[in-house]
Amino acid sequence: MHAVVIDAGKLHWRERPDPCAGDHEIVVAVRAAGVNGADLAQREGRYPAPPGWPPDIPGLEMAGEVVSTGEAVTRFAPGDRVMGLVGGGGQATLAAVDEAHALAVPDGVSWPEAGGFMEVCATAFDALFGQARLTVGERVLVTGAAGGVGCVAVQLAALAGARVTASVRDRALHDAVAELGAAEVIEPEAVTDGGPYDVVLELVGAASLPCALRALATRGRVVVIGVGSGARLEVDLLSLMTRRARVFASTLRGRSRAEKASLIAALGARVVPALAEGRLRVPVTGTFPLRDAGSAYERFAAGGKLGKIVLVA
Ligand SMILES: NC(=O)c1ccc[n+]([C@@H]2O[C@H](COP(=O)([O-])OP(=O)(O)OC[C@H]3O[C@@H](n4cnc5c(N)ncnc54)[C@H](OP(=O)(O)O)[C@@H]3O)[C@@H](O)[C@H]2O)c1
């Protein structure tokens, strides 16, 4: 197979041995693989792959056709269209995926959309519903809402009957984010005067969270998922106490096989139907050939995009 390979902080297109399917794994001929901030951080040596995953082939999500299956695989057969979550190695022409971390791609969903689905949907779904327990009628603030996770979070929250405020710094993207179901799209500076928010999905980090905390409702929940703008800040603990607030924070990549399997099963049951029916979409701003991952990473880093950048084979 060929793979995007990180070597000395640069991306290369290299030949690598084909993966073999372990007992519970399927090997997928990759048609599309989403780019994530984690890939860029891994290229810079700041986010190594967890043990058991290719240390130098990036890629946390992909979609394609099953080419072979392990002996214990029951859900998929060669030829099936699947999308999968991996701890690394997704940006290659072949990738091995645990069958419990894969879902069937609904008919009519394009390869780029499927390739960019798993990481952002699993992250947004788990944060909003697994951690913050967002419910119908609540107010939610999604910061960094024009990005990959944000675009999906806005839609999932709106579909669940929450009132969504999206914070987006690029004015040119406000209308597009509103079309995803946000009741209001505001600039980050306006967050403090808004709310009160029952749930804050923090995708930006230190540059954003202080304003969001000031607008948190009594019994509000904050989920910290992204810290691209910085990971350190001073917090007024008293204001959290008086609000009886709860703060959650998590990463997805390092979770156990079982934890990921139960999250993916919930995605399959509760989110994929919306994707299949066109009530949820994964906006894709640009696609790039897999062998030209460098250009895709450059586009991702430039910002000002709606949703995802996806590599296609
Ligand atoms: N914890 C986890 O398991 C997990 C999983 C997936 C992603 N993440 C993290 O979650 C974050 C969001 O992921 P993503 O895939 O949505 O990334 P993304 O597509 O790059 O989106 C990030 C969004 O945040 C905006 N933004 C960045 N810095 C900002 C600032 N200082 N002020 C206001 N807005 C700012 C960006 O705006 P511009 O386009 O204008 O730059 C962009 O719209 C990233 O940090 C990512 O690494 C964490």
Side-chain angles (χ1 to χ4, degrees):
M1 71 169 187
H2 275 80
V4 177
V5 172
I6 298 170
D7 187 357
K10 292 207 161 54
L11 299 180
H12 304 268
W13 182 243
R14 290 193 179 146
E15 204 167 346
R16 281 295 171 91
D18 289 358
C20 293
D23 281 356
H24 295 276
E25 287 181 335
I26 53 180
V27 171
V28 177
V30 175
R31 294 293 204 100
V35 175
N36 286 283
D39 305 324
L40 278 71
Q42 186 173 346
R43 179 181 61 172
E44 291 161 18
R46 292 189 285 113
Y47 196 38
W53 296 98
D56 56 356
I57 304 176
L60 302 178
E61 57 187 354
M62 49 84 200
E65 285 129 348
V66 176
V67 291
S68 63
T69 60
E71 290 195 352
V73 167
T74 57
R75 293 173 50 227
F76 299 110
D80 286 353
R81 277 164 39 98
V82 296
M83 44 196 181
L85 183 77
V86 287
Q91 293 171 8
T93 53
L94 291 173
V97 190
D98 193 311
E99 74 160 334
H101 302 164
L103 293 167
V105 178
D107 291 343
V109 172
S110 70
W111 285 123
E113 253 198 302
F117 173 86
M118 290 296 262
E119 172 74 11
V120 293
C121 278
T123 299
F125 177 79
D126 178 66
L128 290 173
F129 305 108
Q131 298 183 62
R133 306 273 170 201
L134 179 69
T135 61
V136 62
E138 288 195 307
R139 291 194 65 171
V140 56
L141 169 70
V142 179
T143 66
V149 178
C151 280
V152 168
V154 165
Q155 295 173 83
L156 290 178
L159 286 171
R163 185 178 193 279
V164 184
T165 298
S167 157
V168 175
R169 69 174 166 185
D170 188 341
R171 277 236 30 113
L173 297 175
H174 278 208
D175 288 349
V177 175
E179 278 167 25
L180 297 174
E184 57 177 359
V185 184
I186 61 175
E187 291 180 32
E189 296 70 31
V191 162
T192 310
D193 300 326
Y197 302 110
D198 301 296
V199 170
V200 171
L201 177 56
E202 183 52 71
L203 299 173
V204 171
S208 161
L209 191 54
C211 294
L213 290 180
R214 283 196 281 275
L216 192 65
T218 303
R219 288 187 300 279
R221 290 90 75 200
V222 178
V223 194
V224 181
I225 289 298
V227 291
S229 70
R232 289 178 180 275
L233 55 86
E234 205 167 273
V235 177
D236 178 356
L237 293 174
L238 195 59
S239 84
L240 291 180
M241 289 159 65
T242 52
R243 287 179 167 86
R244 285 169 274 149
R246 275 168 287 169
V247 179
F248 302 87
S250 75
T251 60
L252 179 62
R253 191 180 195 182
R255 291 189 198 182
S256 70
R257 174 181 189 265
E259 283 174 310
K260 287 184 186 172
S262 92
L263 174 54
I264 304 290
L267 269 193
R270 292 177 53 191
V271 178
V272 172
L275 181 71
E277 291 159 17
R279 290 181 289 122
L280 172 80
R281 60 195 179 89
V282 180
V284 176
T285 280
T287 58
F288 293 80
L290 194 47
R291 61 168 61 233
D292 188 19
S295 299
Y297 282 35
E298 225 171 87
R299 176 64 192 89
F300 187 100
K305 62 183 177 52
L306 182 76
K308 300 287 296 181
I309 301 297
V310 178
L311 295 164
V312 289

